[in-house]
Structures are given as structure tokens and as C-alpha cells.
Amino acid sequence: MTIDVVTVNGSGCKQGSAEVIVSSDNTSFWVIYSDYLAQAGKGAGATDFRKNCQLTLQINVPQGFTYGIAEATYGGYGYLKPGATGYQSVNYYFQGQSATTTWKHSFTGPFDDNWSITHKTEFSEIVWSPCGEQKNLNVNSALRVDKGSSDANTNSFMTMDYQRGEVRTLHHFSWKRC
């Protein structure tokens, strides 16, 4: 299996700030971001409260197989003042299909810590690529911060970052024969 990045679009992943790496056993892939931050409150711009990144990936699979995303781990850092809320979400879908897998998680202030969320989909609920067709996989993730009732003179933020300012998200495939 190989993965080709077709497009990278969004306020959370400007051109050149996202990289996709396939595991050596072809069961998963990493996405490494270098600039993914949502913030609200003092000093934040009008559109800084929500950041998203849509990756369009061409997954080249062996003939006779189909795949879907079974599990994904996202992580980062959050600094939310009392009364503020942070949100992380992602949805996966194939080009031209209405079926989607969506995961959402919220964080409530006060919060000042690293975070890691693992989303799992039951095998029977996985959205599968169409057999015998080459359809792009779309991965649309988002971070959002709502300042809520927090002090207007403070700033709250969510970022998907690890050491060295990179975001690493791990996606696990499930495979089956067509």
C-alpha cells in the first residue's frame, strides 16, 4: 500500500505544514502537522476560534482489498480558562460517498494539560472504500475554542502539538477482501 497526498487545505494546515507517513507494515499512517492552533479571547483574531485541516489522500491498495479507518489517535495541548470549552473533531469519507465516520470530543475549562484522544469504530460500523474503484479518502479534522463565560481579558487555546511543535495523529486501517 502507498499513500499519495492529493491536497492539503485548511486554516490549520497551510501549504507545506502537513506530512503523511505510512507505517512499514501498511496498517496505519501518521499525519504530522507543524501549525494547528485554535484560540479565543484576548489577542485572538475573529476567525482564530476554529481551525480545520482537510487532507485528500489517494490510498493505493492491492487488487481485491478494501479498507476503512478503524481507529485514530489525536493529541495536543489545551489551555482553557474557567468557562471556556475546547472541541476536537474529525470525519472520514470517500470521494462521492455520503457515508461518513465522525468523532467528536470536548474539553471543559479550567484545563491546562496535554491531551490524547483515541477514537475507535466497531468493525461493523467502519465506512469502507468502494471495491474495485479508486476513490480518494478525505480526512477532515477541526479544533475549536469557545470562550464561553471566561474572563474577556484572558486567552484560551487548543493545539494539536507535541515536542518540537509538531502534531502527530495516528490512523489505523482495517482491511478486508472485496
Side-chain angles (χ1 to χ4, degrees):
M1 174 192 74
T2 60
I3 298 177
D4 297 317
V5 179
V6 178
T7 60
V8 177
N9 291 306
S11 55
C13 59
K14 297 174 185 117
Q15 189 65 30
S17 69
E19 178 182 4
V20 178
I21 301 169
V22 181
S23 67
S24 59
D25 64 0
N26 296 327
T27 61
S28 60
F29 67 95
W30 288 94
V31 180
I32 301 173
Y33 301 98
S34 60
D35 184 20
Y36 207 145
L37 167 76
Q39 62 180 327
K42 187 175 183 175
T47 60
D48 289 344
F49 73 98
R50 183 184 184 279
K51 298 294 178 175
N52 81 300
C53 183
Q54 174 142 337
L55 302 172
T56 302
L57 307 173
Q58 180 178 322
I59 314 291
N60 304 301
V61 301
Q63 185 68 21
F65 285 89
T66 184
Y67 70 94
I69 302 294
E71 179 179 314
T73 299
Y74 287 79
Y77 186 81
Y79 180 78
L80 302 170
K81 298 304 273 183
T85 307
Y87 303 91
Q88 185 272 330
S89 64
V90 64
N91 69 318
Y92 301 90
Y93 61 96
F94 292 96
Q95 172 188 355
Q97 290 186 319
S98 60
T100 185
T101 299
T102 302
W103 293 312
K104 297 177 182 177
H105 190 81
S106 62
F107 302 85
T108 303
F111 185 86
D112 183 7
D113 205 351
N114 292 313
W115 60 270
S116 180
I117 302 298
T118 299
H119 306 281
K120 295 181 181 183
T121 301
E122 294 296 323
F123 189 81
S124 63
E125 296 179 17
I126 293 173
V127 176
W128 299 97
S129 65
C131 285
E133 296 180 47
Q134 181 65 49
K135 296 288 185 176
N136 291 335
L137 171 64
N138 294 292
V139 178
N140 190 13
S141 63
L143 286 176
R144 188 166 55 94
V145 176
D146 180 354
K147 71 179 185 117
S149 62
S150 65
D151 184 334
N153 292 315
T154 63
N155 182 278
S156 293
F157 65 89
M158 292 286 296
T159 183
M160 283 196 273
D161 67 348
Y162 283 83
Q163 296 177 22
R164 301 180 317 278
E166 295 176 343
V167 174
R168 293 187 175 159
T169 59
L170 177 62
H171 303 79
H172 293 276
F173 292 112
S174 274
W175 293 91
K176 70 178 184 177
R177 290 196 178 276
C178 290

